[in-house]
Amino acid sequence: MSYKSGLILIMIAIIALLGTACAAQPIEEPEPQVQVEEENHDDDITLKIDGSTLIPDVTSNLHFDYMEGITLRQALESSQMIELTNEGKGISSVGDVSLDSTLEWGVKLNKQDLKPEEWNTKLKKGDVIFVYVKTVNNEADLTEQGALILTVNNALLNSGERLHYVSRYEDNITVRDLLRMSGIVKLNLNNKQIIAVNGHQPGMHEKWILKVNNKELRENGLEMRLKPHDHVQLELVRM
């Protein structure tokens, strides 16, 4: 056998061995994706605050460790977002959001409405508390009736204060009417100029900008008649 013929036979043998090894190698299939389950809160107490489309900033879900004997009222008080009235017979504010006298915060436990006198109900593991805005007399869905929102943004202050006031819409209501109803805004004697907002008077190089639906109002803007779902904004800015 010549040298060239021997080399060819060796190469054929190597190719055959490689082919056998490849054939024996199993084909790897993609691993199935693991479905990550959401965190289970069956042993917790869940507090859901619903601002809906009116005040989405306040919408949140809070979870508490269950404690034997805890009541719904205690869960509301410990949330650090909900402030009860002095008598404890209602909710005065939620997350810096206050309501006009025709609106109130409703409370449900596992989808069942509870009146304040029932808030001493003891909770069980997995209970869900739902806090939402409703009309005082349950006349209709607030989102269908229409509401007005006043937002105060004191971004220049160290606290970065942000307040909301929600009012039910009424025919012919003006920007001035909403400001006066809120109790947040102080106007001058002829009700034509903003003096202070939540007790803060603007400094020498500050002023309050008034907007409706993100559009700045000029002179006589307080006379503007509002429409359902309008959003009035007060912002403290530097000049």
Side-chain angles (χ1 to χ4, degrees):
M1 180 182 299
S2 67
Y3 173 77
K4 183 180 292 186
S5 299
L7 185 60
I8 291 173
L9 289 174
I10 292 172
M11 291 179 65
I12 293 173
I14 291 173
I15 292 172
L17 288 172
L18 289 175
T20 304
C22 291
Q25 184 71 23
I27 298 175
E28 294 185 1
E29 296 182 358
E31 296 182 359
Q33 293 184 350
V34 178
Q35 298 293 330
V36 180
E37 296 182 359
E38 294 184 358
E39 191 174 352
N40 192 341
H41 294 288
D42 289 344
D43 293 331
D44 296 344
I45 302 297
T46 301
L47 171 61
K48 295 185 176 183
I49 300 175
D50 180 29
S52 69
T53 57
L54 299 174
I55 34 177
D57 288 356
V58 79
T59 299
S60 59
N61 284 359
L62 306 175
H63 299 281
F64 304 90
D65 291 335
Y66 173 77
M67 293 185 297
E68 187 72 30
I70 187 173
T71 66
L72 186 147
R73 183 184 303 278
Q74 291 171 329
L76 294 176
E77 291 174 335
S78 64
S79 69
Q80 299 182 348
M81 283 191 66
I82 297 175
E83 183 176 341
L84 302 184
T85 60
N86 292 334
E87 305 81 12
K89 296 182 179 180
I91 295 174
S92 61
S93 63
V94 175
D96 294 328
V97 177
S98 57
L99 309 175
D100 76 6
S101 58
T102 67
L103 305 174
E104 64 182 356
W105 295 99
V107 176
K108 293 182 179 182
L109 178 60
N110 302 325
K111 300 183 179 180
Q112 180 179 352
D113 272 298
L114 291 186
K115 297 178 180 179
E117 51 266 31
E118 300 174 291
W119 290 358
N120 289 325
T121 300
K122 291 184 178 181
L123 301 176
K124 306 182 301 296
K125 291 182 179 180
D127 276 349
V128 177
I129 305 168
F130 187 72
V131 176
Y132 65 103
V133 180
K134 67 174 185 175
T135 56
V136 171
N137 298 320
N138 292 316
E139 296 170 356
D141 186 346
L142 183 60
T143 55
E144 294 178 1
Q145 284 189 326
L148 301 171
I149 312 295
L150 169 63
T151 297
V152 175
N153 185 8
N154 293 358
L156 295 184
L157 301 182
N158 291 334
S159 61
E161 183 179 54
R162 188 177 178 89
L163 305 173
H164 303 276
Y165 173 76
V166 183
S167 174
R168 190 162 57 166
Y169 174 78
E170 296 178 4
D171 290 338
N172 299 319
I173 189 171
T174 64
V175 172
R176 178 187 289 107
D177 295 332
L178 181 64
L179 297 183
R180 294 177 61 185
M181 289 165 50
S182 71
I184 300 173
V185 180
K186 181 181 180 181
L187 301 175
N188 64 356
L189 293 177
N190 61 8
N191 293 318
K192 291 185 177 181
Q193 185 178 357
I194 297 173
I195 300 298
V197 178
N198 201 33
H200 179 78
Q201 297 186 16
M204 184 179 300
H205 301 291
E206 299 174 346
K207 67 175 181 178
W208 288 103
I209 296 294
L210 185 61
K211 300 178 182 180
V212 174
N213 302 327
N214 294 316
K215 293 183 179 179
E216 185 174 342
L217 299 184
R218 301 299 181 181
E219 294 183 8
N220 301 321
L222 293 176
E223 306 289 343
M224 177 181 174
R225 292 185 180 181
L226 297 171
K227 303 183 298 297
H229 308 296
D230 272 351
H231 186 185
V232 179
Q233 300 144 292
L234 269 171
E235 184 177 355
L236 186 64
V237 299
R238 296 193 191 279
M239 294 188 292

